[in-house]
């Protein structure tokens, strides 16, 4: 359920914002146009927004600036503390993509950036089913995450990172649960969503799934 990665984020909390800013050469392309990616998610969002994987609150800041009502879900205590310092009044709950406290109000948009890959494809299936029960017709799921066009694209990217000597990133690509567009398309359609994909950088795609 993604919680096997909590220790990573506990350690990453203090340097996460440095990484996404592009100072780490190995991950620079992963986070290329990071602000634009956050903006794309926020622009596609409306109403009461449920954000999974709040982290240090970077997407949260953009959502709040747009005037949206946000409830955040974050499994890492260190990350929650960072976000709470920035947004003391934010409704921020301990939870993950599949297990979180009961919400007090209806949700119109579910969002996340750089986090859905922490679920296996089977867990993604279960999570999307759960969200289909939470959302009404025309409500949305808006995720931005590293996704591959197909299996060939996944293999080519791993070979490219190996050739560059980016072994930490290569290990991430090989051990975390990055999936492909055909898999996600099938899962969203299975649970009653019409989904569209738009590539935002060499790694990240925006997926906007509207409930039928």
């Amino acid at each position: 359920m993604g919680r096997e990665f909590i220790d990573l984020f506990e350690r990453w909390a203090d340097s996460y914002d440095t990484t996404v800013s592009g100072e780490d050469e190995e991950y620079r392309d992963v986070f290329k146009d990071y602000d634009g990616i956050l903006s794309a998610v926020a622009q596609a969002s409306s109403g009461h927004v449920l954000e999974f994987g709040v982290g240090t609150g970077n997407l949260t800041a953009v959502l709040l600036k747009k005037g949206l009502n946000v409830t955040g879900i974050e499994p890492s205590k260190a990350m929650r503390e960072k976000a709470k310092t920035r947004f003391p009044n934010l409704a921020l709950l301990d939870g993950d993509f599949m297990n979180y406290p009961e919400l007090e109000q209806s949700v119109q948009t579910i969002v996340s950036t750089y986090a859905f890959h922490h679920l296996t494809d089977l867990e993604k299936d279960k999570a999307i089913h759960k969200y289909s029960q939470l959302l009404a017709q025309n409500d949305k799921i808006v995720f931005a995450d590293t996704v591959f066009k197909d299996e060939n694209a996944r293999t080519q990217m791993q070979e490219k990172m190996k050739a560059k000597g980016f072994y930490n990133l290569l290990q991430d690509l090989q051990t975390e649960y990055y999936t492909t567009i055909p898999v996600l398309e099938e899962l969203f359609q299975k649970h009653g969503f019409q989904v569209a994909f738009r590539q935002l950088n060499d790694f990240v795609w925006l997926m906007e799934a509207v409930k039928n």
Side-chain angles (χ1 to χ4, degrees):
M1 291 174 287
R3 285 188 174 260
E4 61 266 41
F5 299 104
I6 288 181
D7 287 346
L8 166 65
F9 285 95
E10 291 286 304
R11 297 192 303 270
W12 202 7
D14 288 333
S15 61
Y16 181 81
D17 290 337
T18 300
T19 302
V20 302
S21 71
E23 293 186 27
D24 186 333
E25 180 185 3
E26 189 163 352
Y27 288 85
R28 187 171 297 154
D29 285 347
V30 177
F31 294 103
K32 184 177 180 180
D33 194 24
Y34 181 69
D35 290 342
I37 291 169
L38 301 185
S39 178
V41 173
Q43 287 302 313
S45 303
S46 62
H48 176 211
V49 179
L50 179 62
E51 180 187 357
F52 286 105
V54 168
T56 59
N58 295 329
L59 175 60
T60 313
V62 183
L63 295 167
L64 293 174
K65 186 175 181 180
K66 190 184 174 186
L68 298 172
N69 176 24
V70 180
T71 297
I73 306 291
E74 171 56 55
S76 164
K77 181 180 178 182
M79 289 290 193
R80 285 199 307 275
E81 289 174 351
K82 293 281 185 182
K84 260 303 189 184
T85 298
R86 292 177 68 181
F87 309 108
N89 297 322
L90 177 68
L92 183 56
L93 308 174
D94 180 3
D96 56 54
F97 279 103
M98 298 179 68
N99 297 289
Y100 49 89
E102 185 174 350
L103 304 175
E104 296 182 355
Q105 62 183 112
S106 62
V107 171
Q108 285 71 55
T109 312
I110 298 175
V111 303
S112 183
T113 54
Y114 292 92
F116 200 47
H117 64 271
H118 293 138
L119 301 186
T120 66
D121 286 349
L122 179 59
E123 290 169 341
K124 290 183 182 76
D125 185 7
K126 293 177 179 178
I128 293 170
H129 172 71
K130 188 169 186 175
Y131 307 154
S132 73
Q133 308 301 305
L134 192 64
L135 299 173
Q137 187 176 18
N138 295 322
D139 289 342
K140 290 181 180 179
I141 297 172
V142 185
F143 288 166
D145 199 9
T146 292
V147 179
F148 296 103
K149 188 175 181 179
D150 51 34
E151 289 295 342
N152 184 54
R154 188 211 306 265
T155 299
Q156 288 181 347
M157 183 61 76
Q158 291 181 4
E159 291 175 349
K160 184 178 179 180
M161 295 305 102
K162 184 177 181 180
K164 286 188 172 185
F166 290 170
Y167 295 113
N168 290 325
L169 178 52
L170 176 62
Q171 183 179 23
D172 290 346
L173 295 176
Q174 291 175 334
T175 58
E176 299 188 25
Y177 309 123
Y178 297 101
T179 193
T180 63
I181 286 177
V183 169
L184 288 170
E185 190 169 37
E186 180 180 352
L187 292 179
F188 280 115
Q189 290 176 352
K190 173 183 176 181
H191 296 294
F193 290 90
Q194 182 176 347
V195 63
F197 297 87
R198 176 161 61 96
Q199 192 165 16
L200 301 180
N201 67 28
D202 287 346
F203 290 84
V204 174
W205 291 71
L206 180 75
M207 54 201 94
E208 188 172 346
V210 181
K211 179 76 183 297
N212 294 328

